[in-house]
Amino acid sequence: MGTHIATTPFGRRTVTLGLIASQAAAKQVEEGATVDKWEVFRDIRDAKDLLGATDRALSILHALLTCRRPVELVAGDNLVVFPSNVELIKRANGMSLPTLRRNIAVLMDCGLVIRRDSPNGKRYARRGQGGEVEQAYGFDLTPILARAGEFRQLAESVQAERRALLLVKERLTICRRDVVKMIAAGINEGVPGDWPTFRQRYEAIIARLPRTAPRSLLDAIADELEDLWLDVQDTLESFVKSQNMNPNESQDETHIQDSKPDFNSTDESKHGSRNKHEASTNVAETDNVRTLPKRDLPLGMVLNACPEIATYALGGPIRTWREFIAAAEEVRPHMGVSPSAWQEAVEVMGLENAAVTLAAILERTEHIRSRGGYLRSLVDRARDGMFSAWPMIMALLNARMSTMENGAAGKVRRSERGGTQSGVAAKKPSSLEISSALAKSLQGKGWK
């Protein structure tokens, strides 16, 4: 007569449908099935949230697995372990008895182990004459063997979800960074666009992002950010394509040079309307001032274009913008610019741009009768966003370069004419000197 195996818990613990389901699953073990208990434990640990297991419950499960020496769980073997509560607490690195009992119940509810209670609720084993265990009462590990494939699938799904969450977080971080920096670039470079609306959209999207969020919410927020990124990207790319800008920003100077400004003025003393007309036609002949660079003019470029301002410097050469502005304020009374006109220019253009404009006017002062009226006309254009100091400086630089090139060419021609005339004393050599070997090479190639 065989021994009856108990399937109901001892004492006041009741039988649940979950317990019945776990016992039914444990009976469906394939014959000859074998698994590595630690591999299955790792799968259970990865899928613990899906199973409903706690960290303490897994600690107890780990302790139960250590009570069985073989690493493999084999179908048909006696997989019941029967450690005492004291031994379990020791192997689980310490916990109170109520915590132990509560987490053992969690293992039961998750279907990870099955209770095999003795008649008196104690855990022990009855051995035969050969010392082999004939009957054991304790915790049956058969569900771990029976559900090993299920645990593996759950672990893979958790790992896939973890990878997907990592990817969406990376996508969200990169998209946030791109949107913020692209909006800032559009504002700083003065690109036409509805930048306040872009910023409001970004802030509204980020406001919905909690500290911890499920992947579905992160995916939705990332999709909205990508839509915003596309709108911002299209705005910037459209502006770049319309300006035919190069990546190295060398096209900025091309736009300025192509405008060919010449701000010669003839009579601003009595006719304010004529001042405005000359400023509009001579300072910026381009149709759109927005094509000009939005960054500040380099001080070195301004000093090269406007060397006259250096004669009014106080205490030596101009090295900083503060010294440049001081020189501009020093020359202002000599140019006949009233304090009110200067103050208005500072308020509209800014202190540095006003000083640059005044220095540029100083370079052409012999062509401008009313410097104060001309400055006021430029201030009016700057107030309407139709004036930039860049064309003035570039026009002066181009004029200086042309003068230097023409002067050098004239010296060379005069030197050549003097060399061909007989009886003429040798003149002082020009700044453009070449070696005799190079001269012979040029003559051999037909250069005159």
Side-chain angles (χ1 to χ4, degrees), residues 284-352:
E285 294 181 357
T286 54
D287 295 333
N288 191 357
V289 179
R290 292 177 181 175
T291 61
L292 299 172
K294 300 303 178 182
R295 60 180 184 272
D296 295 334
L297 280 161
L299 179 59
M301 180 186 295
V302 176
L303 292 176
N304 289 333
C306 309
E308 290 295 328
I309 193 69
T311 60
Y312 295 87
L314 302 177
I318 297 175
R319 295 185 177 89
T320 63
W321 279 108
R322 179 178 298 179
E323 297 173 350
F324 182 85
I325 294 170
E329 293 177 346
E330 179 70 18
V331 76
R332 177 194 59 77
H334 302 282
M335 296 177 60
V337 177
S338 63
S340 60
W342 172 248
Q343 183 63 30
E344 185 179 4
V346 171
E347 293 176 355
V348 175
M349 299 180 180
L351 191 55
E352 290 184 3

Side-chain angles (χ1 to χ4, degrees), residues 91-144:
R91 295 193 180 211
N93 300 323
M95 64 180 64
S96 64
L97 186 58
T99 302
L100 175 67
R101 290 172 176 170
R102 185 169 58 252
N103 286 281
I104 288 176
V106 171
L107 293 177
M108 303 297 116
D109 296 337
C110 295
L112 298 176
V113 296
I114 299 175
R115 279 185 180 274
R116 301 294 185 187
D117 286 349
S118 64
N120 59 0
K122 301 294 182 178
R123 302 181 200 125
Y124 60 89
R126 182 178 294 111
R127 300 179 183 274
Q129 294 180 354
E132 296 181 357
V133 177
E134 293 181 350
Q135 181 67 39
Y137 297 98
F139 300 103
D140 192 353
L141 303 179
T142 304
I144 296 178

Side-chain angles (χ1 to χ4, degrees), residues 378-400:
L378 297 182
V379 171
D380 292 339
R381 289 185 55 80
R383 186 180 289 107
D384 297 334
M386 300 298 295
F387 170 75
S388 172
W390 273 91
M392 302 178 72
I393 299 302
M394 295 306 300
L396 291 172
L397 287 174
N398 291 335
R400 287 178 59 82

Side-chain angles (χ1 to χ4, degrees), residues 268 275 335-338 341-342 358 361 368-379:
E268 295 86 8
N275 291 334
M335 296 177 60
V337 177
S338 63
W342 172 248
L358 194 65
I361 295 175
I368 303 174
R369 295 183 180 179
S370 176
R371 274 75 67 182
Y374 187 68
L375 179 62
R376 288 184 183 275
S377 65
L378 297 182
V379 171

Side-chain angles (χ1 to χ4, degrees), residues 73-91:
L73 302 179
V74 182
D77 290 352
N78 188 357
L79 300 181
V80 178
V81 293
F82 40 89
S84 64
N85 289 339
V86 175
E87 184 66 19
L88 273 180
I89 291 175
K90 183 187 301 183
R91 295 193 180 211

